[in-house]
Amino acid sequence: MKQKTKAKQLTAYLLGVCFLAFSNISCSNDENNNGANLGNGDVSGIITDDQNAPLSGVTVSVNDVDISSTTDASGSYLLKDLPIGKHIITFSKTDYQTVSCTVAPNQWNDGVANVSTSMRYAAAKITGRVLDAQNGKQPLEGASVSIGGDPVLTNSEGIYTITQLPLDNYTVTISYGDYNPVSKEVKIDDFIDGIAQLPDINLGGEEILPGLTLGDLKTCTPWMYNEYRGGRNADNYPQFDWSVDYMCTLDMMGNWEEQNEGTTMRVDESKSNGVDYDNLNTFIYGRKHITEDNKILTVFARTHQGPAIWNVVVVDLSEAKPQAKKLGDNISFQDGSYKNFTFDLSAYIGKDVVIAIGTYYSGEWVQLVLRRISFAPEAVNGLAWLPGSPINDALEELHMTQEMVRATMPNERQSFTGITTYDGRKDRDEYVWAYRDWNKTGHVAAFWGLTSITKDCDVFTNEGYTIKTRGGNGIVSTSKAESYLYSKFAINDNNQKLTLRARNFGSHPTYFKLIAITDDMNVKYLQPNSESQVSELSEGPDGTIKFRHFNGDTGHPENYGKFVFDLSQYKGKNVTLVLAVYKGEENGDENKVTIYSIDLN
C-alpha cells in the first residue's frame, strides 16, 4: 500500500513533535515507591500501532535486568519474574518510534503489573540535495538540515536524508555558515511510498526568479541574436521549418515541450501550492543587452487550451539588488491563432538584463506556444523579416539590417563544432534533445544565429552541420544568399584568426562567402590565406569562395578542408562574421557547406 494513502488515514493520530532519537514517554504513574525485597512479579500488556491495531514483533526489554519478551500476533507480551519495584521498560520495532515507559512499585497488584502503550509508525524519509549558489551550483557538503531535532549533514554530493520519521507535516530548514537559511514545507501528502523527495535547494543566494539566484542569472545563456524561432511545422518554409527551430536550445524552467506549433510553456502543477499570479511557473529566460536597436520585444504566440495567464519579466542586473519586474499587467490570452504581443524595453537601454517569458499557475492546465521571440527598433509584423535599415545595396538580400548587426551581442566562445553527438535522426520527437545537447558541446547552430532565406539545413548529417542551396536550375546568383550563419566577436590578441574545417558533397563546387561587418557598417568579403588545405579552391564572383572538397568524416577530422582567415585588421573592434552559401552555377544540385568546426585563435 502506498504510504501516501496511509498518511491520509493516520492524520488524526499524528500529534505533537517528531522524535528523531530515543524517546522517554511515561506510560503510567512513575512515582518511586520502590521498596526493598518485595519479591518478584510479572509485567504484561498489549502494544498497538497508531491505528489501535495490535502490533506484533515488538521487542520488550527492561533497563536494569536481563529479561525481555516479544509481542505476539495479538500485540501481547509477558515479562516473568521481574523484581517488584521501579523499572524502565522499552518497546522497539523496526519502522516504529521507540517508546519507553516507567513502571513504579504502586502499579503492582498481587505481583502483576500492566503496561500497555501505542507505537507510532516512523519509517518515513525526507531527502533532497543542496547546491552552492555562490559556486556554480556545485553540491554543497556539510550543510545542516533540520526539522527541529538533531540536524543531519549533507554528504559530498550535497544529498541529505532524514530517516525514522512519522508521517506528518514538517518544516525543513537548511543552513550553512553565513549563508541565509532556507526553509521548505513538507506536507503529509508529499510522502509517496514513505519518501518525500524535495527539489534541489540553492543555498547562498536569494531566488530572484523561481529556482534561480542572481548567480544563476548572471551565467545563464545569453540571447545574443535578434530572433529565436520555435516549432517544427513548415508554415513559412524554410524560415519556420523544424530544421531551423533553435529556440529550444535556450534555458527553461518548469514544464515545457517542443511542439509542432512552437516552443510551449505549459504549467508545472507539481511546483505550485495553489493559484499564483506573482511568480512565473514555467518560463524561458536569457541574458540580453538592450540598445536603441533592439528595444522592442515582439512575442508571436498562440495557446492550446487556456486561457493562459502569462507575462514578460525583466531583471536588471545592474541594480544593487536586482529584482524581477513585470512588463505591465499579466496577459490573459486564449486563441488558437498566432498573435503578436509587443513589449517596450526602452527603460533598460544600455543595460544587461535577464528576460523571462512564461506562464503563471491559475489552477488550470494551459499551454502558451511561442513561435518567435524577436528584438528590433520597432514591432515585428507576424512572420515578416526584422525591420530596420539595410546595410548596403549588395547585402539587402540577406535581410540583415544595421540594427541587427549593432544589437548582436559578442560571442563569448571561440570554438564551435558542427557534429551532433546525440542522434536526433532516429525519432522525429528526439531532435529536440539533440538540439539541447548542442549547449554542452558548443555546437555552431546553438551559438551562431541562423537565417534561412530560401533553403533549410541538414542538421544531423554524420559529417557535420550543413547549410545549403536549393537544387534545380534557373536560380543562379552569387549576390543572393540561400542561407547563412552569423556571429559577432570582439577581436583581440587571442582570436585574430578564424579556421573553418568543412567539406561539400556531389561532383559540383560550392560557393560561399565569409563577410565581415563592423558596427559602423564597413563591409569586406574575406578570402582564405594561401595555407588553406582544400582540394580545389579559387575566388569566385562577388567575393565568393569557390571550392570542392569531398573528404572528411568524424573519424578522420584531419581530412576536412581547412580554410584560414586573417582577422587581425579588426583588432580592438567588434566584427560580425557572416558565413553565407550561394547557388553559384547552373548544375541542378543542392550545393553545401558542411561544417566540422569553427575555431578562433
Side-chain angles (χ1 to χ4, degrees):
M1 178 176 66
K2 299 265 185 197
Q3 294 299 341
K4 185 169 183 178
T5 302
K6 186 173 182 180
K8 294 179 179 178
Q9 296 173 342
L10 300 182
T11 302
Y13 298 93
L14 302 180
L15 304 172
V17 297
C18 170
F19 295 84
L20 297 180
F22 183 87
S23 300
N24 286 318
I25 302 175
S26 179
C27 306
S28 309
N29 182 1
D30 64 354
E31 180 184 350
N32 189 357
N33 295 325
N34 206 10
N37 195 23
L38 298 179
N40 291 348
D42 298 340
V43 177
S44 63
I46 297 175
I47 309 303
T48 58
D49 64 15
D50 39 16
Q51 295 185 74
N52 207 32
L55 193 59
S56 64
V58 178
T59 298
V60 185
S61 58
V62 185
N63 70 316
D64 56 347
V65 294
D66 188 18
I67 298 176
S68 64
S69 180
T70 302
T71 59
D72 60 20
S74 67
S76 300
Y77 72 93
L78 176 63
L79 297 169
K80 295 183 68 65
D81 295 325
L82 189 66
I84 295 174
K86 180 178 179 181
H87 303 281
I88 297 175
I89 302 175
T90 298
F91 305 91
S92 60
K93 178 180 172 66
T94 300
D95 292 344
Y96 285 80
Q97 187 176 0
T98 297
V99 175
S100 292
C101 298
T102 300
V103 58
N106 66 350
Q107 292 176 254
W108 299 78
N109 185 11
D110 294 331
V112 176
N114 181 278
V115 178
S116 297
T117 189
S118 178
M119 295 180 67
R120 199 175 181 190
Y121 174 83
K125 301 177 182 179
I126 298 174
T127 186
R129 185 172 66 155
V130 180
L131 305 178
D132 190 346
Q134 294 188 14
N135 188 29
K137 284 190 174 181
Q138 294 297 311
L140 184 60
E141 183 178 7
S144 175
V145 185
S146 172
I147 57 172
D150 293 335
V152 300
L153 299 179
T154 55
N155 64 17
S156 60
E157 296 179 346
I159 295 172
Y160 62 89
T161 302
I162 304 174
T163 60
Q164 296 183 313
L165 299 179
L167 292 165
D168 209 338
N169 300 325
Y170 297 99
T171 298
V172 181
T173 300
I174 303 99
S175 58
Y176 180 83
D178 59 357
Y179 287 2
N180 290 330
V182 172
S183 294
K184 296 291 183 182
E185 299 297 321
V186 178
K187 305 299 184 184
I188 286 180
D189 284 350
D190 293 331
F191 290 92
I192 299 177
D193 291 334
I195 299 175
Q197 177 71 53
L198 269 63
D200 288 350
I201 304 296
N202 295 314
L203 210 62
E206 178 184 356
E207 289 187 359
I208 297 176
L209 291 172
L212 299 170
T213 66
L214 180 59
D216 299 325
L217 298 182
K218 286 183 175 180
T219 57
C220 70
T221 299
W223 290 1
M224 293 181 284
Y225 303 104
N226 303 277
E227 66 172 345
Y228 294 91
R229 296 185 286 272
R232 55 191 182 187
N233 273 350
D235 53 1
N236 194 29
Y237 178 86
Q239 292 169 259
F240 286 84
D241 181 70
W242 74 272
S243 69
V244 299
D245 160 29
Y246 305 147
M247 189 188 296
C248 63
T249 66
L250 302 178
D251 292 338
M252 300 184 211
M253 292 287 286
N255 182 3
W256 67 276
E257 183 181 59
E258 197 63 25
Q259 299 183 357
N260 287 337
E261 295 82 1
T263 304
T264 303
M265 303 293 103
R266 307 194 289 193
V267 291
D268 188 349
E269 294 171 307
S270 68
K271 286 178 25 178
S272 178
N273 292 320
V275 173
D276 187 349
Y277 294 138
D278 294 321
N279 299 291
L280 288 172
N281 179 276
T282 294
F283 55 95
I284 186 170
Y285 66 101
R287 287 184 289 128
K288 188 75 174 172
H289 182 72
I290 306 303
T291 71
E292 286 284 353
D293 296 313
N294 64 8
K295 64 184 179 183
I296 303 299
L297 163 64
T298 303
V299 178
F300 193 52
R302 59 169 289 183
T303 61
H304 289 159
Q305 302 170 271
I309 310 300
W310 69 285
N311 210 333
V312 175
V313 174
V314 178
V315 179
D316 183 355
L317 297 177
S318 68
E319 290 183 341
K321 188 175 181 180
Q323 297 179 337
K325 299 177 182 178
K326 298 180 182 181
L327 290 184
D329 296 331
N330 289 343
I331 301 166
S332 178
F333 172 51
Q334 182 175 7
D335 198 328
S337 300
Y338 295 103
K339 180 179 178 181
N340 281 310
F341 297 86
T342 59
F343 301 86
D344 190 350
L345 301 171
S346 298
Y348 301 99
I349 288 175
K351 296 182 177 182
D352 291 317
V353 301
V354 169
I355 298 171
I357 304 169
T359 57
Y360 297 94
Y361 186 58
S362 64
E364 300 291 336
W365 173 258
V366 297
Q367 301 183 74
L368 177 68
V369 183
L370 305 178
R371 193 63 165 147
R372 178 163 74 169
I373 300 170
S374 56
F375 298 87
E378 59 190 71
V380 178
N381 181 23
L383 298 180
W385 299 105
L386 297 182
S389 307
I391 297 169
N392 60 30
D393 292 341
L395 297 184
E396 188 169 2
E397 296 295 335
L398 287 179
H399 300 287
M400 174 178 278
T401 67
Q402 294 185 32
E403 289 83 357
M404 287 172 63
V405 171
R406 288 192 296 261
T408 296
M409 296 167 60
N411 205 320
E412 299 170 354
R413 295 184 65 96
Q414 293 187 195
S415 183
F416 311 91
T417 182
I419 303 298
T420 301
T421 56
Y422 187 106
D423 188 1
R425 297 170 300 172
K426 62 184 179 183
D427 186 334
R428 179 66 176 270
D429 292 330
E430 288 290 315
Y431 83 91
V432 61
W433 302 112
Y435 286 179
R436 296 289 286 180
D437 195 59
W438 287 352
N439 294 316
K440 303 175 186 176
T441 61
H443 196 280
V444 63
F447 291 93
W448 289 52
L450 172 71
T451 300
S452 53
I453 301 173
T454 59
K455 188 60 179 172
D456 62 351
C457 311
D458 288 339
V459 182
F460 302 130
T461 60
N462 289 329
E463 294 80 9
Y465 181 82
T466 301
I467 57 174
K468 60 185 181 179
T469 71
R470 292 166 290 175
N473 296 313
I475 52 177
V476 172
S477 175
T478 51
S479 62
K480 297 180 180 180
E482 300 273 291
S483 64
Y484 64 89
L485 293 160
Y486 73 104
S487 188
K488 178 183 284 187
F489 298 93
I491 304 302
N492 53 48
D493 289 336
N494 299 317
N495 61 359
Q496 296 185 65
K497 181 173 68 175
L498 181 144
T499 302
L500 166 67
R501 302 303 298 261
R503 59 165 293 171
N504 62 2
F505 291 88
S507 58
H508 303 292
T510 295
Y511 293 74
F512 75 96
K513 295 179 185 178
L514 186 65
I515 308 169
I517 309 170
T518 59
D519 284 350
D520 60 2
M521 302 306 128
N522 178 274
V523 177
K524 287 187 179 180
Y525 303 110
L526 303 182
Q527 290 290 323
N529 64 30
S530 58
E531 298 176 1
S532 296
Q533 301 166 5
V534 183
S535 299
E536 298 180 27
L537 180 65
S538 62
E539 184 174 350
D542 300 316
T544 58
I545 300 165
K546 177 182 178 181
F547 85 103
R548 289 201 300 178
H549 187 90
F550 310 136
N551 200 1
D553 57 65
T554 54
H556 302 88
E558 72 280 359
N559 291 337
Y560 285 88
K562 181 179 179 181
F563 305 84
V564 181
F565 298 87
D566 183 7
L567 304 177
S568 60
Q569 60 187 302
Y570 300 106
K571 183 178 178 181
K573 297 181 180 180
N574 288 338
V575 60
T576 297
L577 300 177
V578 180
L579 179 62
V581 64
Y582 297 79
K583 181 71 171 178
E585 64 180 42
E586 197 85 60
N587 55 40
D589 287 344
E590 293 181 345
N591 304 140
K592 304 180 179 183
V593 178
T594 299
I595 301 168
Y596 176 78
S597 64
I598 299 176
D599 294 287
L600 282 81
N601 48 45

